[in-house]
Amino acid sequence: MLIKVKYYGLVAEAIGLGTEEMECLAADGDDLRAFFIRRYPQLRGLTWKVAVDLELIDGPIQLRAGSEIVLLPPFAGG
Amino acid sequence: MEKTEKKQPQVFVDGPISGGFIGDSITKHQRKTDIGAHDIFLGQVRADVIDGKQVVAIEYSAFAEMADKVFYEIREAAFAKYTLSCMHIYHSLGRVAVGEICLFVFVSSKHRQMAMDATREIVEAIKAKVPIFGKEIFQDDTHVWKENR
């Protein structure tokens, strides 16, 4: 199904993109990580979390068409 | 009776937060005479030295939609846990030079314990949970990405 993906900070820099749309069939948190590392091997050594539809995920998730996945590098607020 | 949606206060500001703005915020609260204590936290950009290079500024960016949501959750949690009169959170986006303020948390309560405890908790939650990113810029225009600890 078609999903929107956004990248920030160090992750966006490593990939060279801020946003894209793609087909994704991943079913849970680990699948998503593996999916992105396969697509962009340079992500392997970096620290990042995944948010789906504004929620950080850590395990099984339900992707829907139009879901938004965001790869978030470490936070630096304050 | 018309039900209107509660408008979320704006947290992000462009560039550094000025001393004048901070002072004005304090002045504005003088007429709220049920307040007995304010606690204020200011985050300032520090001239860190990393691998022999000195930081001259931090450029902040954010995943705004999620950051707004998390700021809202932090606010609501603090209002639920502590008896507070008022709470304001401001965070910079864009370039903030060394010595300038990038975070302003301002909490007011009737008695000091609530304001002080809430402020500490709010600041720690912001640093841990809000998707804000910082590019530490060096004098030679190279950069590294900041990571909160």
Side-chain angles (χ1 to χ4, degrees):
Chain A
M1 73 192 93
L2 204 64
I3 50 154
K4 290 177 285 185
V5 189
K6 283 207 244 194
Y7 308 107
Y8 283 92
L10 179 57
V11 170
E13 212 172 64
I15 291 173
L17 278 179
T19 183
E20 61 177 329
E21 269 192 345
M22 61 174 77
E23 279 295 324
C24 179
L25 301 166
D28 69 27
D30 287 342
D31 281 0
L32 269 182
R33 290 196 74 87
F35 172 84
F36 281 105
I37 288 171
R38 271 196 309 274
R39 189 180 178 90
Y40 300 113
Q42 62 267 49
L43 290 180
R44 190 179 299 278
L46 305 178
T47 306
W48 43 278
K49 293 184 187 175
V50 183
V52 176
D53 297 328
L54 305 187
E55 295 284 345
L56 281 177
I57 55 127
D58 183 24
I61 42 112
Q62 197 66 27
L63 277 183
R64 303 159 313 197
S67 270
E68 186 186 73
I69 296 178
V70 183
L71 269 53
L72 301 168
F75 302 159
Chain B
M1 194 157 68
E2 217 175 51
K3 192 180 177 190
T4 48
E5 235 186 66
K6 197 173 168 187
K7 202 182 169 191
Q8 237 178 284
Q10 179 68 13
V11 174
F12 286 121
V13 304
D14 272 323
I17 296 162
S18 71
F21 179 82
I22 295 162
D24 285 346
S25 302
I26 295 167
T27 304
K28 278 189 188 141
H29 285 75
Q30 287 182 264
R31 61 181 123 90
K32 296 198 172 188
T33 54
D34 57 329
I35 293 173
H38 301 296
D39 202 356
I40 291 172
F41 176 84
L42 302 177
Q44 180 169 299
V45 175
R46 194 176 51 235
D48 277 348
V49 177
I50 302 167
D51 291 332
K53 293 202 277 191
Q54 192 164 78
V55 173
V56 296
I58 296 180
E59 205 169 273
Y60 287 104
S61 54
F63 175 23
E65 230 187 311
M66 185 174 156
D68 284 344
K69 177 172 169 280
V70 177
F71 274 127
Y72 176 80
E73 287 164 2
I74 291 171
R75 275 178 68 86
E76 293 298 297
F79 274 123
K81 186 168 174 182
Y82 300 101
T83 310
L84 304 174
S85 314
C86 228
M87 178 201 310
H88 302 280
I89 303 170
Y90 300 98
H91 196 291
S92 297
L93 283 180
R95 191 178 174 108
V96 182
V98 155
E100 292 181 325
I101 304 295
C102 58
L103 172 64
F104 172 29
V105 176
F106 182 21
V107 179
S108 315
S109 58
K110 198 167 171 183
H111 301 288
R112 69 187 180 283
Q113 203 60 50
M114 294 284 181
M116 290 165 84
D117 290 348
T119 302
R120 176 180 289 271
E121 211 165 287
I122 289 164
V123 172
E124 295 306 322
I126 290 169
K127 285 180 168 285
K129 297 179 184 178
V130 183
I132 293 171
F133 313 102
K135 222 183 197 180
E136 292 180 293
I137 300 170
F138 301 112
Q139 205 131 33
D140 63 2
D141 254 355
T142 58
H143 66 269
V144 292
W145 289 93
K146 184 177 172 232
E147 218 173 294
N148 278 351
R149 298 194 190 285

